[in-house]
Amino acid sequence: MSDAGAFTAPQRLPAWTALAGHARRLAARPIPALFADDPARAEHLSLHLDTPAAPGRSALIADFSKQRLDGDALADLFRLAREARLDDGIRRLFAGEAVNFTENRAAAHMAMRGGCPPPPGRGGDTRAMRAFALALRRGELTGASGKTLRRLINIGIGGSDLGPRLAVEALAIPGGGDGALQVDFVANIDPRELDAALARADAAATLFVVSSKSFGTAETLANASAARRWLCAALGEKAGIGAHFAAISNAPEAAAAFGIPPERVFPLPEWVGGRYSVWSATGLPLLAAIGEAAFDAFLAGGRTMDEHFRSAPFARNLPVWLGLAGLWNASFLHIQNLAALPYAHGLRSFPAWLQQLEMESNGKRTLRDGSQTEAATAPIVWGGAGTVGQHAFHQLLYQGTRAAALDFIVPVGEDEPRQRALVDNALAQSAALMAGRALDAARAALAHRGLPAAEIERLAPHLTSTGGQPSTTLLLPRLDAFHLGVLLALYEHKVFVEGWIWGINPFDQYGVELGKEMARALAAGEAGAQDASTARLARLAEAFRQTGRTEKK
Ligand code: F6P
């Protein structure tokens, strides 16, 4: 797979054909029957990651036994990984080779957490960012009027928002106590999001961090300009509003042109993609919110997963298993979606983070050699925090007509009744969604309620559930900085495993350019640039605007 000449599309590999056969064999087989075939299946299909400081104590346990997989299929998935030369891919990734083959760049985000040596180029050194974030945290930075800066508003979108937002939600102490730095995130170009953050803010004590790798993203620049106008209105045109801005970007000239002092522009390297960037300068809000010890623990968690990924044999390698399970579900069992179900309020933004990671990375169809894939690639990723989702969308998972692959992410946490209930619910859901309820069991449940026989017969079909939703359960001891680092790096590497085997590049995102170009054309009012529907809708929207203007007067 090193170059287009040597590349073989995965469907031409012998293991692919064997796996298609396994899929036909297993598709209609109830997952509980697989437990009857191999009563020790839960042990055979579980892996764990050692805590480096305490060997023997697990930092993560992954149970794949509720996947629609058996030993023979798994053996051929490993064979597929070998035939696709995944070992070579992992070596190239960690050696800083240009695995981002369309942009001819390394994808060395692991270097930001010490997981591999940094490739050449600026931005790998985060010392200046760290000093700034920690000074802010300690209350040593002041605004134009001399007031201490106590609020950070991160303005960014996509990878410049989702990673730090998730990590701050997961790790920062809510409210933070008296005088603590408050951290907000603003992504949407809809003014309501920025307005809501500004409504909580005191201009004299607010720092805006404009986080944009390119410093060219329309939403971020529009919000940053609105923030600058708000500051000028509050503090006066002549106030030095540079004291209220910092930037995370590798376009320092553009940040300087915006008015951000050069010593407050923190670069991130070209070889760190936006959706992989929370470990880099993009993590500034996280570092400011949680402090250096916790931030370093977060990096250590990611690094621990890196070391595991690069050194563990495939048979014990967590990202390899997670990637192969994902590929099996998408390409062989034709399950078109993956629900991320974190059982932790702190991980409520995990599905959104994973959505970008998986869908922007592997939502592609063009292979390394320019041909089009014949396999289904990244699934549609969705989800939500448990137990909240149980009272909203789980109904469809039980009785709807669609198959879904499920990832249960379960930090065990405190010995506190509600925390225990959270874990019990996660385990119960994964079991019930696998097992389902047959007609006889439905009848028995109704009989238990003391219903008359005719009523039992009438209602029983409505209580049945086919089950068979395959899932992986990830058990973490608790949700802290180290384990969050382990979790995020696990999924980053999972996406690499899948992309490598599918033969696509997980590290570019050319697809999104088309919509951006169309939006620019619409904003410029370019006649003829749109189809008839879009042009008409643009005219109708303009009419609504005019009515709004008239009604306001
Ligand atoms: O448009 C997609 C994208 O480029 C993402 O890949 C990226 O995370 C996001 O926009 C934000 O980009 P930037 O950090 O350059 O503003």
Side-chain angles (χ1 to χ4, degrees), residues 172-182:
I173 300 161
D178 276 353
L181 183 77
Q182 303 299 315

Side-chain angles (χ1 to χ4, degrees), residues 201-226:
D202 165 11
T206 299
L207 174 81
F208 293 96
V209 175
V210 185
S211 186
S212 175
K213 187 178 170 191
S214 59
F215 217 88
T217 302
E219 292 89 337
T220 301
L221 295 186
N223 279 328
S225 298

Side-chain angles (χ1 to χ4, degrees), residues 156 161-170 185-188 193 278 346 349:
D161 168 72
L162 293 164
R165 189 192 285 257
L166 160 64
V168 167
E169 283 174 3
F185 290 87
V186 172
N188 205 321
E193 194 179 15
V278 63
S349 292

Side-chain angles (χ1 to χ4, degrees), residues 311-401:
S311 62
F314 288 176
R316 290 207 308 274
N317 195 311
L318 283 151
V320 170
W321 277 61
L322 197 61
L324 290 176
L327 193 137
W328 168 251
N329 285 328
S331 299
F332 294 97
L333 296 181
H334 308 294
I335 299 175
Q336 292 157 359
N337 71 99
L338 168 67
L341 305 173
Y343 274 69
H345 181 67
L347 293 178
R348 62 195 175 281
S349 292
F350 180 84
W353 174 83
L354 188 66
Q355 215 165 43
Q356 187 196 16
L357 183 72
E358 296 229 15
M359 294 173 80
E360 202 171 73
S361 297
N362 284 337
K364 294 166 193 164
R365 55 172 61 228
T366 304
L367 301 183
R368 177 179 286 271
D369 61 0
S371 65
Q372 301 293 297
T373 187
E374 293 161 26
T377 58
I380 295 161
V381 178
W382 61 289
T387 59
V388 180
Q390 290 174 204
H391 302 274
F393 55 76
H394 279 226
Q395 164 63 35
L396 177 145
L397 298 175
Y398 281 108
Q399 292 190 312
T401 54

Side-chain angles (χ1 to χ4, degrees), residues 155-162 211-221 248-250 268 273-277 282 356 360 507-509 512-513 516:
I155 299 178
I157 199 163
S160 298
D161 168 72
L162 293 164
S211 186
S212 175
K213 187 178 170 191
S214 59
F215 217 88
T217 302
E219 292 89 337
T220 301
L221 295 186
I248 298 157
S249 183
N250 66 0
L268 65 160
R275 52 194 175 275
Y276 300 86
S277 69
T282 305
Q356 187 196 16
E360 202 171 73
F507 301 112
D508 64 17
Q509 56 282 325
V512 298
E513 295 308 320
K516 291 184 191 176

